[in-house]
Amino acid sequence: GINAEYMGIQNGYKDNPYHNAIHAADVMHTLHCILSMSHVDEQLTPLELLCMFVAAAGHDYGHPGVNNNYLVKTKNELALQYNDHSVCENYHASAIFKEVLVRPECDIFANLPDEQWYVARALVISLILGTDMQHHFAKLGTWHTKIKSSTSPKDVLLDDRNLTLEMLMHASDISNPVKPINIYNNWVNRVMKEFYNQGAKEKENQLKISPFCDEATAQVPACQIGFITFIVKPMYTALVDFAPSLCDTLKQLDENLAYYQNLQTVPPL
């Protein structure tokens, strides 16, 4: 049943500072809020809603605690298996089917007719692959153009349903900066810890240390200002154009941006 399926997914998460089962639950909760506050949930089929929450739960299943670039640079077996393309995301999508949904007690799609099963599987896979930051700018640009040229969210859904669902999932995955500052800061501390862990491994392997992964030099405010300005704000600007009822997310985002800009201007003690 569904409880066994979600427990199976939860148990597959590693004890990473950031990419862990708490992050998965947070993304599921955020997705629920976005779908309900935008009323998109009223326009989706029960199967589409189920697929979205399964994908949200499993989108970082078994995450190794390092990014795709690190896996490729170190010739990791996952990079070799997935030909260096969306390495983590391909692994997450594959593993929830191979390790969780394959178990009879966890297979919530078991009673679907074949045709619906393939539709459900394809949607879960595309939603998880859509969380790869590599595709962020191209997909966001396409989606925002569709929003600006349509008369209602319903039209955008009708025009490109899969892209819209992918973008709602992606928005949920990068939603930390639209949360109240105490919650946001908790996630910042977690993600920086994971970055530093990767930086330590890169140093150990005599590799070039990735941006913001060197604990000795990383500037956390600069990291978050860049993340908000270039990634999150354009995403949530498009989201609010799609669903104006989500406008409070942009207000919180601007407050959090101002908080980090202020931190950057205050000299360290």
Side-chain angles (χ1 to χ4, degrees):
I2 199 157
N3 286 344
E5 184 257 346
Y6 283 132
M7 284 305 296
I9 289 176
Q10 178 178 313
N11 292 337
Y13 276 85
K14 295 180 180 175
D15 193 22
N16 298 315
Y18 184 88
H19 289 104
N20 53 38
I22 306 167
H23 167 66
D26 181 60
V27 171
M28 281 183 78
H29 179 254
T30 305
L31 179 64
H32 166 70
C33 292
I34 288 174
L35 291 173
S36 58
M37 290 169 71
S38 65
H39 303 289
V40 170
D41 56 352
E42 297 162 16
Q43 299 170 56
L44 301 181
T45 67
L47 185 58
E48 285 172 327
L49 281 170
L50 178 61
C51 288
M52 291 203 78
F53 289 116
V54 168
H59 81 282
D60 278 326
Y61 178 91
H63 197 288
V66 291
N67 63 21
N68 286 339
N69 189 41
Y70 179 87
L71 295 174
V72 171
K73 282 195 302 187
T74 55
K75 301 171 186 168
N76 183 277
E77 61 182 45
L78 290 177
L80 298 177
Q81 184 174 346
Y82 296 112
N83 301 317
D84 299 347
H85 291 294
S86 299
V87 178
C88 284
E89 294 76 17
N90 270 302
Y91 167 66
H92 306 318
S94 175
I96 62 167
F97 280 95
K98 277 169 62 178
E99 297 177 14
V100 181
L101 294 171
V102 74
R103 306 206 298 263
E105 72 276 15
C106 297
D107 188 2
I108 52 170
F109 298 138
N111 295 325
L112 291 177
D114 276 356
E115 193 176 323
Q116 278 194 304
W117 186 89
Y118 288 117
V119 168
R121 173 169 156 77
L123 180 54
V124 170
I125 291 170
S126 73
L127 290 169
I128 294 176
L129 294 184
T131 62
D132 185 357
M133 283 301 305
Q134 189 89 20
H135 309 307
H136 170 84
F137 295 103
K139 288 195 171 184
L140 177 56
T142 302
W143 191 54
H144 206 178
T145 301
K146 288 178 187 287
I147 292 165
K148 288 188 280 193
S149 61
S150 72
T151 52
S152 74
K154 206 166 189 176
D155 289 342
V156 183
L157 258 180
L158 288 170
D159 179 38
D160 199 330
R161 202 172 187 85
N162 261 37
L163 178 62
T164 299
L165 300 188
E166 280 181 32
M167 296 314 291
L168 298 181
M169 173 71 69
H170 180 46
S172 305
D173 192 25
I174 61 169
S175 65
N176 295 333
V178 305
K179 308 282 172 67
I181 191 66
N182 60 318
I183 296 172
Y184 176 26
N185 273 339
N186 190 339
W187 287 113
V188 170
N189 292 337
R190 286 172 173 272
V191 81
M192 296 311 297
K193 174 76 173 131
E194 197 162 302
F195 284 176
Y196 299 152
N197 288 349
Q198 176 173 318
K201 288 177 182 173
E202 287 169 331
K203 200 170 182 180
E204 196 181 310
N205 291 316
Q206 298 181 311
L207 297 167
K208 184 182 176 187
I209 299 179
S210 299
F212 303 110
C213 290
D214 188 342
E215 190 167 5
T217 60
Q219 300 290 322
V220 177
C223 176
Q224 293 310 305
I225 290 166
F227 184 48
I228 291 173
T229 307
F230 298 111
I231 305 293
V232 184
K233 188 150 189 184
M235 173 79 250
Y236 274 81
T237 300
L239 186 62
V240 171
D241 284 349
F242 172 74
S245 55
L246 295 167
C247 61
D248 282 351
T249 58
L250 280 179
K251 291 177 192 166
Q252 184 67 60
L253 188 62
D254 284 336
E255 282 181 32
N256 292 345
L257 177 59
Y259 170 87
Y260 274 103
Q261 286 170 331
N262 185 53
L263 273 188
Q264 196 177 38
T265 56
V266 175
L269 295 174

